[in-house]
Amino acid sequence: DTEVTQTPKHLVMGMTNKKSLKCEQHMGHRAMYWYKQKAKKPPELMFVYSYEKLSINESVPSRFSPECPNSSLLNLHLHALQPEDSALYLCASSQDLGAGGETQYFGPGTRLLVL
Amino acid sequence: RKEVEQDPGPFNVPEGATVAFNCTYSNSASQSFFWYRQDCRKEPKLLMSVYSSGNEDGRFTAQLNRASQYISLLIRDSKLSDSATYLCVVNTYNFNKFYFGSGTKLNVKP
C-alpha cells in the first residue's frame, strides 16, 4: 500500500484566518515533504522532515509553519496568507532520504484558495 | 541554468504512435532518477524509477545516460489514457533534494 492521505481536499480561507493542512502515511516512511504547485508548473519543494526533524526549509515565509507530531503525520499550519499563496499543496513521503529509499509517493493534495 | 530541463511540449500524437521524451540534468552528482505522470488537477504518480542499465515496464522504457546527463522515456503503442504531463525528477543525495523538470505534456489523439 503506497497511500498518502491529505485533508482537507479543498480549502477556502481569508487572509486573516488560521488553518491547518494534514497529511498521513502508514508505510513506515521516515521522510515527509511539503510541496506547493501552481497551475501548469512543477511542484516546488517547501519543507522536508527526516525522522520527525526539519531537514530542509526552502526559505518559505513564516506564514507557513510545518509540524511533524510523529512519524506518520505531517501538518502545515497557515496564518495570514496572501492570495498568491493559492495553489495545490502536496504532501509526499519516502522511506528515507538516502540511497535506495528515496522514491517519493504523493498524496492527492489540498487545493487552497486564499481570498 | 535549471537543475532539470524538459521540453514542455505539447507532444500531439495519434493512438498507436511511439513517442520519446528527454530530460537533461545539470548536476553530475545526481544519484537517482524518476519519471512521474501527472493528470490535470491530480497529484504526481510514480511511473518508473530509472536505473543505469535502463529498464522497461510494459510499453514504457526508461534510459539513463550519465555521460551526457540525460534520461529518456519511450512510450510505445500510445493509448488515449497516456495523455498527461510527464515529470522528470532527479535526486542528489548530498543535498537531499528532489529537482523537478517543468514537465512534458502529451496529448494522444484518436
Side-chain angles (χ1 to χ4, degrees):
Chain A
D1 182 13
T2 55
E3 187 178 19
V4 178
T5 59
Q6 288 186 246
T7 55
K9 288 187 178 168
H10 302 274
L11 179 62
V12 181
M13 61 187 289
M15 289 188 283
T16 57
N17 291 158
K18 284 186 182 180
K19 296 285 185 184
S20 296
L21 310 185
K22 297 187 184 300
C23 173
E24 190 167 6
Q25 56 87 14
H26 293 290
M27 296 178 278
H29 288 178
R30 303 316 298 263
M32 296 185 77
Y33 313 77
W34 280 115
Y35 287 88
K36 173 183 176 180
Q37 187 175 25
K38 303 281 269 185
K40 300 187 188 299
K41 298 286 188 184
E44 294 174 38
L45 184 65
M46 300 174 73
F47 302 103
V48 180
Y49 273 82
S50 176
Y51 289 83
E52 300 161 48
K53 293 195 186 312
L54 184 63
S55 175
I56 293 175
N57 176 343
E58 288 286 88
S59 302
V60 179
S62 60
R63 57 187 185 267
F64 295 92
S65 174
E67 179 197 18
C68 190
N70 60 55
S71 59
S72 301
L73 290 173
L74 186 66
N75 298 324
L76 186 63
H77 302 299
L78 314 173
H79 175 52
L81 294 194
Q82 304 296 310
E84 60 263 30
D85 296 321
S86 299
L88 178 67
Y89 288 84
L90 292 161
C91 174
S93 71
S94 65
Q95 186 178 333
D96 207 333
L97 288 182
E102 72 282 10
T103 304
Q104 290 183 92
Y105 298 93
F106 285 85
T110 293
R111 196 161 294 280
L112 174 67
L113 177 62
V114 182
L115 299 176
Chain B
R1 185 183 171 187
K2 288 184 182 177
E3 293 282 344
V4 179
E5 300 211 50
Q6 289 183 255
D7 180 344
F11 286 60
N12 298 308
V13 303
E15 270 186 292
T18 295
V19 61
F21 311 134
N22 280 343
C23 162
T24 58
Y25 60 94
S26 61
N27 189 339
S28 60
S30 298
Q31 296 288 340
S32 57
F33 310 88
F34 307 90
W35 284 104
Y36 282 77
R37 76 168 272 167
Q38 187 170 25
D39 294 288
C40 188
R41 300 180 69 82
K42 298 283 191 181
E43 76 273 25
K45 289 192 190 293
L46 179 67
L47 183 65
M48 320 177 61
S49 301
V50 187
Y51 304 117
S52 296
S53 54
N55 46 302
E56 186 174 308
D57 182 2
R59 298 182 293 108
F60 300 85
T61 300
Q63 299 259 329
L64 167 62
N65 184 318
R66 285 192 185 273
S68 301
Q69 293 183 203
Y70 76 83
I71 67 172
S72 64
L73 177 68
L74 181 78
I75 306 175
R76 290 180 297 276
D77 189 22
S78 300
K79 311 288 185 195
L80 295 176
S81 56
D82 294 333
S83 297
T85 295
Y86 290 82
L87 294 162
C88 169
V89 182
V90 173
N91 176 245
T92 304
Y93 299 154
N94 286 349
F95 304 106
N96 289 329
K97 285 187 181 182
F98 292 81
Y99 295 97
F100 283 74
S102 57
T104 297
K105 187 163 175 57
L106 172 65
N107 296 316
V108 181
K109 313 243 181 224

